[in-house]
Amino acid sequence: MRAQIMEREQNQVSSEAWQLAESSFEIDQNAVRETLFALGNGYIGLRGTHEERFDGFEASSIEGTFINGFYESSPLRYPETAYGLAKEHQFMLNVPNAKCINFSIEGEEFDLFTGEIVSYERSLDFRTGVLIRKLEWKSPAGRRLSVTSRRLVPFRRKNIFAIEYEVKLLNCSGTITLASVLDDGAKEVEEEGKPRYGAAVASVGGVTFDLLGIEQMENFSALIHRTRNSRLVLVSAIENDLVSPSGNSVKKETISTDQRYGQIYRARLEENGSICLTKFGAYFTSRDYPESELIGLAKKALKEARQVGFDALCAEQKEFLSEFWHYADNEIRGDDALNQGVHFNQFHLLQSVGRDGHTSIAAKGLTGEGYGGHYFWDAETYALPFYLYTRPEIARRMLEYRYSILDKARTRAREMSHSKGALYAWRTIAGEECSAYFPGGTAQYHINADIAYAVKQYHEATLDEEFMTKYGAEIVLETARIWIGIGSYIPKKNNQFCINEVTGPDEYTAMVNNNFYTNAMAQMHLKFAADIAAKMKKSQPTEFERLKTAIGLTDDEPKEWVKAALAMYLPYDQELGIHPQDDTFLYKKVWNLAENPRKSHDLPLHYHYLVIYRHQVCKQADVVLADFLLGDHFSAEDKKRDYDYYEAITTHDSSLSHCTFSVMASEIGYYDKAYQYFMKTARGDLDNLHKNTSYGVHVASMAGTWMAVVCGFGGMRAYQGKLQFAPYLPEKWEQYAFRIYFQSKLVLIEVDKNEVRYRLLEGDALQFSHYGTPIQLTKAAPVHVAKAVANKKAVAR
Amino acid sequence: MRAQIMEREQNQVSSEAWQLAESSFEIDQNAVRETLFALGNGYIGLRGTHEERFDGFEASSIEGTFINGFYESSPLRYPETAYGLAKEHQFMLNVPNAKCINFSIEGEEFDLFTGEIVSYERSLDFRTGVLIRKLEWKSPAGRRLSVTSRRLVPFRRKNIFAIEYEVKLLNCSGTITLASVLDDGAKEVEEEGKPRYGAAVASVGGVTFDLLGIEQMENFSALIHRTRNSRLVLVSAIENDLVSPSGNSVKKETISTDQRYGQIYRARLEENGSICLTKFGAYFTSRDYPESELIGLAKKALKEARQVGFDALCAEQKEFLSEFWHYADNEIRGDDALNQGVHFNQFHLLQSVGRDGHTSIAAKGLTGEGYGGHYFWDAETYALPFYLYTRPEIARRMLEYRYSILDKARTRAREMSHSKGALYAWRTIAGEECSAYFPGGTAQYHINADIAYAVKQYHEATLDEEFMTKYGAEIVLETARIWIGIGSYIPKKNNQFCINEVTGPDEYTAMVNNNFYTNAMAQMHLKFAADIAAKMKKSQPTEFERLKTAIGLTDDEPKEWVKAALAMYLPYDQELGIHPQDDTFLYKKVWNLAENPRKSHDLPLHYHYLVIYRHQVCKQADVVLADFLLGDHFSAEDKKRDYDYYEAITTHDSSLSHCTFSVMASEIGYYDKAYQYFMKTARGDLDNLHKNTSYGVHVASMAGTWMAVVCGFGGMRAYQGKLQFAPYLPEKWEQYAFRIYFQSKLVLIEVDKNEVRYRLLEGDALQFSHYGTPIQLTKAAPVHVAKAVANKKAVAR
């Protein structure tokens, strides 16, 4: 802990619970802060770069503006090719920067690197969603002035963002020249061969955009680009609105040089006079609208925003967030820094997730280009539960995204020789498989079950039948068929249903038979699919017939699913009393983690895959994750033995690992471990624990914080639609609280040293269990239960 | 058979037993014939392209001149990279074509595509090694002339080749203009993405050579090139020698335009007058000599060749071949076409193999660029036995090549995290791992044992202690250490020694535990290494100490080898009575070969690897190969059951498969099958059975022919240095004969319908067994044994 606290102090980020603030401009920390101060609304993502030109050393700033789901593609080229390998890489693009504002006073350009920064503060409040920077600057010639800017990306207005930028002269008068532009520079993608970031980017390089057109009129400037390969059109636009300084006239000029497009304003300011620019930016793409309408839409959105005005946008934003926190707030008392981390992570989760039904959440959200902006299974397995139990309509949108690419998954299934069904890509933006290393990609068939599991959880938590009829059933049935395609009844396994040659969640083992996680999840999936089919047949015969016809489902198939599920082979080792990760895992040599600790961080950077695969060593939870997700299927004793066995050989090289181990440590009663693992997620990005936050936040880990609190300390589960809690208070805390929205009811759970309090904030009544005891909660009558102790031994929940 | 005979007829290749001949110029067959008529001496390889300009349609001719072991390299680029992946591709280069000769008579250029070919014949005699083409041509204007050319690549002169080219006017007189040049055109490598040929070539393209210099004087022209990446220097040179036509003077000009360098001769010829050019070509590279000496060496070699003269070179060649056939000749009576195939294959094996100690034999010899000209395990496991039992000095040279790259194998072992020992590259030219798909490449650790096995066989067949001391011991000991590095005593396997995460010979299964072939071969390897160490310690203590010091061998290591060998886990399935290919093989679904026969040819062209790996389906012999190579370790019953089990699920998509199955079918007594598999190898290239002979011959399959005859029909084995035979006569034959050179004795085995005759042609006495009966053969007393019948049931040998 000591080291972390010191690091926090060094970072000089104040730790008030609801905001992130810095009180000085630190060049060394700048790239990390750009990530932390990034704004986004699930569609547009702006890194927290300064508006002005930035002259820091290389890598001290990473400019970035991202549009969720907007991508370029490039062919994947293999030195040795084969049938069915992923054909194209897709990657999120860094689009034209619309934030740029620069000014000079009497020819002296404002620059954070010249003159003197007299005072500086920047803050982002998680309840207002507005990034505010206030600074006072003394120019080299001694002119003093203040610059105040506010920035927001409205959650309620998908395609725009806004900046208010005010300059005030403090000890001088003179002519100010202020430029507000759209910057089309630096749109080339660099070649990169690094294993970690943007895997599959090695083959990409050069120009990704072609400029199709420029439109400038009045205060409006727009660029129209088309991507080279994916053939998507993007309109980037700005509209400037200058409040003229009292009394003085403003000269305006349009610029369109050096790849910068916008306005230059010139005005004379007296001492204490000020000038204030409001700038609106907009992005529209042909993924959402017809090409011909994009410019018109941009104009309209900008005009509307201008009419509404910056302050009203702020009010909207606050209102939106107020509602969000009403449902989402997790609060920890007794540790402000942790409380800040929890809120920060929740805020970034909201900023990162697509809410339009054809985007989802990328590994680094909208804060960096890592992993190509791809959507992985993390979206459903790690991030989705947070939304599901706070703002379920977001979870629905994420699943609608999966529905939107279901046809691509069908195509992929055919490529993989499955005559029926759909196989989701391991990593993708638009649906095509983009994983260039199939043993760690396409082989992870479990993604199909992960998505089905998310649909099941969604359905149980929302009872949203309309979603199921329209989307959910088709997703689940189509993806379930793949298990029949890949699996088979193996005589030498007593004709149990086996799933061979797959990779489970743990990527330090690849291409194995009967990965426990995969088989257990497939079993759940097959049962669920058969259930859906049976229920739909009964309650919605017409819709079911339509679905059957659409996907060519025969009456025999649901029977096959049940049969396969019942016969599913789930590896179990009698001697050790654990679930082997797969058929051969226990027959490998144990990797000695203690022997080479330094090299053990991210093994594929130091060892050939064959060396890693040859050993019992795990990158992340695999069996332990199954024990969590399907916890009602396995005994407490098995889960504990699994935990003990696998924890000893897990490196946690994946940021998905800590939270799962934290949750299961809580369940088992390893409270210290639960807390230690939780601490690795809660301030992971705030304290730059992975040393790479400058490249973007770690979304899955952020969601893991919520999971560790709610499912871990709170012991929340929702097996088969039944809500249950088993909360305890971590030793170091005074109190904590969290909220769960379930079947249209909102419950607040508060845990302190004396008791657990359940209060129903919305809905009439809610049934759940507390440590196995059924509770009927009504709005009128909160329930107080004494006393959940942190240090008791493992409790049967 | 009928179909094949028809195909032969279509091919119009005459089937005399000792030569290959064609009696017409067939454009459709031209590219295939270029392969069949290719000449080589194990260093220089010339495809059988015509000397003149060739105007056929695309792909009707594939120009090719190759130098064994001379290569360019290019970085291997992966769309998703990781530690330890092969870094560079190496590929055999198509070097400047020195064969080019063109002429015109009175301005009419001789061209096979204009005028009329009045008569045409081309032949290659396997006893003379000279390619002869005779044709008569009528020009468009009606001039008749004959062209006679002879070509050879001397086996005794590594760096040169020679052509004799005579033109005679038959019905006219006039001025002949004859150009003999070195052609530097078309040295760019095309980009190619095809899975089969030149796998790993996808990333290569563009210029591979830089021209450093040109030297021309008198009749000599030379080009000096350096490869872009591998930085190897090549000198290509020609020397022309024109016999002036009687009476008339010859005008000579030097040309150096259009990337063509050489001489143009102009002379007046009377009717029936002729002109005769002798051309010598030479190639020297910096892999063999210092750069500065290359030009001088080329001059010297060409001068010597010219002094010796074409006819004397032919005489040398004949003498060399006469000796070769004395030791190598396999003869079949009763089927000339087959007999031709057998000789053709032996001849090409001789032409293809490097004999200089730093080259070996590539998958397509020196006849095509397929597989990048890489050396694989085929060299030792398939090709080497042919040389070993006919011309063992060639086998020694191949093993010396392995010694020459032992340091590279040590480096590779370190990259693969083995602190000791050497791991040979799966495919390479200069020693570096060039396999870009590690599950089918680097994972094939068995290559280490394959090479050790070859050393063992070599030692037993030659008793060459000097080789062992100098090279063999170090190879075997260093490679043996890898088994200790990769393997481990697995508690759950009763602490047996297991080798996990490898790929066996069958590439339709990858990255498995305890591949039977690998474990069995590793066991042999470890024992052999310990034996060598023990013997050397005793008989050559000084040399042994020197070796120990050189490789840092401790006294404990040989003990560890013995321990591991004794504890080696060899999978055996009690129920089926077979050796499972690996730990999980029998737990996979059986691929239904009958279901999709067309798609079953080369599965990775039609199915994703994951689909293939998920099934019980074999590309080639794996367990069955172990049963052959280590046949004295397993019972006849097990071998038969293994054969039955695996044959049913083998596609034979590898050209290495048929011969192994043929040999084992013979051993088991499946005589019809033995013959059928043999027939797929014997005329494979002559009849273009794989439809891709135009890209080069199939070296392993050619060696397989020898193996099927000698080890199959002849039942020859040399387990633990003991020679044994168990010959039978295939039903369709009158008689066959083969020769075995063993421990400096040459034995001729003749098998006919009545008896088997053993005659000792060299050496005093030889002990061996005939169907288990010991025989002591002396030169004076041939042994006749009656009667080996083809159709008897399985015989215990």
Side-chain angles (χ1 to χ4, degrees), chain A residues 597-666:
Chain A
R598 190 137 287 282
K599 273 197 170 181
S600 296
H601 197 68
D602 211 341
L603 301 185
L605 296 180
H606 307 287
Y607 300 95
H608 193 284
Y609 280 126
L610 285 170
V611 179
I612 301 167
Y613 295 164
R614 195 192 302 147
H615 289 88
Q616 290 190 42
V617 60
C618 301
K619 183 178 179 184
Q620 64 196 89
D622 192 296
V623 169
V624 172
L625 180 62
D627 285 347
F628 167 41
L629 299 180
L630 304 169
D632 53 339
H633 289 64
F634 313 113
S635 76
E637 293 71 26
D638 282 348
K639 285 191 265 189
K640 181 174 182 303
R641 282 188 297 259
D642 282 343
Y643 182 99
D644 290 342
Y645 190 86
Y646 292 102
E647 191 196 29
I649 52 173
T650 298
T651 64
H652 309 291
D653 289 348
S654 163
S655 64
L656 310 182
S657 193
H658 295 130
C659 61
T660 310
F661 274 92
S662 179
V663 168
M664 289 308 289
S666 280

Side-chain angles (χ1 to χ4, degrees), chain B residues 119-123 132-136 146-149:
Chain B
S119 68
Y120 174 103
E121 60 187 61
R122 182 159 62 158
S123 66
I132 301 175
R133 190 190 67 178
K134 290 180 187 173
L135 63 84
E136 191 181 319
S146 70
V147 184
T148 305
S149 66

Side-chain angles (χ1 to χ4, degrees), chain B residues 349-615:
Chain B
L349 286 171
L350 177 65
Q351 292 203 120
S352 301
V353 66
R355 290 176 286 126
D356 57 13
H358 45 270
T359 54
S360 183
I361 188 167
K364 295 192 170 285
L366 300 167
T367 63
E369 292 169 71
Y371 301 102
H374 292 167
Y375 313 129
F376 291 78
W377 72 309
D378 331 6
E380 282 78 15
T381 305
Y382 287 81
L384 184 136
F386 165 67
Y387 309 111
L388 176 56
Y389 298 111
T390 56
R391 310 259 62 200
E393 64 275 19
I394 298 179
R396 172 170 167 149
R397 290 305 204 170
M398 292 172 70
L399 295 173
E400 285 177 18
Y401 159 73
R402 287 297 183 183
Y403 185 82
S404 78
I405 60 167
L406 187 55
D407 266 346
K408 306 265 179 86
R410 284 188 257 257
T411 302
R412 183 62 180 155
R414 300 304 160 272
E415 286 169 6
M416 296 302 295
S417 302
H418 303 298
S419 57
K420 294 173 180 178
L423 175 63
Y424 278 106
W426 177 244
R427 53 189 298 174
T428 190
I429 293 176
E432 290 82 3
E433 177 63 271
C434 297
S435 169
Y437 177 65
F438 78 81
T442 301
Q444 297 201 44
Y445 270 61
H446 66 83
I447 191 168
N448 261 19
D450 302 330
I451 291 167
Y453 183 87
V455 172
K456 184 168 184 280
Q457 296 293 105
Y458 174 79
H459 181 225
E460 289 170 358
T462 62
L463 307 174
D464 181 351
E465 301 299 340
E466 183 247 350
F467 169 82
M468 289 305 289
T469 309
K470 213 162 158 189
Y471 310 113
E474 190 172 340
I475 292 174
V476 173
L477 270 51
E478 279 285 77
T479 49
R481 294 169 122 179
I482 294 300
W483 301 119
I484 303 301
I486 185 177
S488 38
Y489 299 90
I490 298 295
K492 274 201 169 282
K493 293 268 193 189
N494 292 322
N495 285 311
Q496 287 177 94
F497 192 79
C498 294
I499 299 170
N500 289 339
E501 208 66 29
V502 298
T503 299
D506 164 36
E507 294 177 344
Y508 286 174
T509 302
M511 305 209 295
V512 292
N513 296 345
N514 296 306
N515 169 259
F516 172 72
Y517 175 91
T518 305
N519 286 22
M521 291 290 283
Q523 183 181 49
M524 168 284 300
H525 187 176
L526 288 164
K527 278 187 206 162
F528 180 45
D531 283 353
I532 289 177
K535 280 184 199 155
M536 241 183 126
K537 190 176 178 179
K538 212 169 170 183
S539 63
Q540 299 180 288
T542 320
E543 287 82 354
F544 187 59
E545 279 309 312
R546 198 180 307 141
L547 177 58
K548 275 181 68 182
T549 307
I551 66 174
L553 187 78
T554 67
D555 288 332
D556 287 341
E557 289 187 65
K559 289 173 204 157
E560 277 180 65
W561 301 340
V562 173
K563 185 183 161 205
L566 290 173
M568 184 67 68
Y569 172 66
L570 297 178
Y572 188 78
D573 186 87
Q574 291 294 347
E575 191 188 336
L576 296 170
I578 65 166
H579 298 103
Q581 190 170 305
D582 58 67
D583 276 1
T584 53
F585 191 80
L586 299 181
Y587 297 89
K588 294 179 178 175
K589 190 179 178 183
V590 173
W591 185 285
N592 191 336
L593 281 179
E595 212 168 60
N596 218 340
R598 190 140 282 284
K599 273 198 170 180
S600 297
H601 195 69
D602 211 342
L603 301 185
L605 296 180
H606 307 287
Y607 299 95
H608 193 285
Y609 280 125
L610 285 170
V611 179
I612 301 167
Y613 294 164
R614 195 192 301 146
H615 288 89

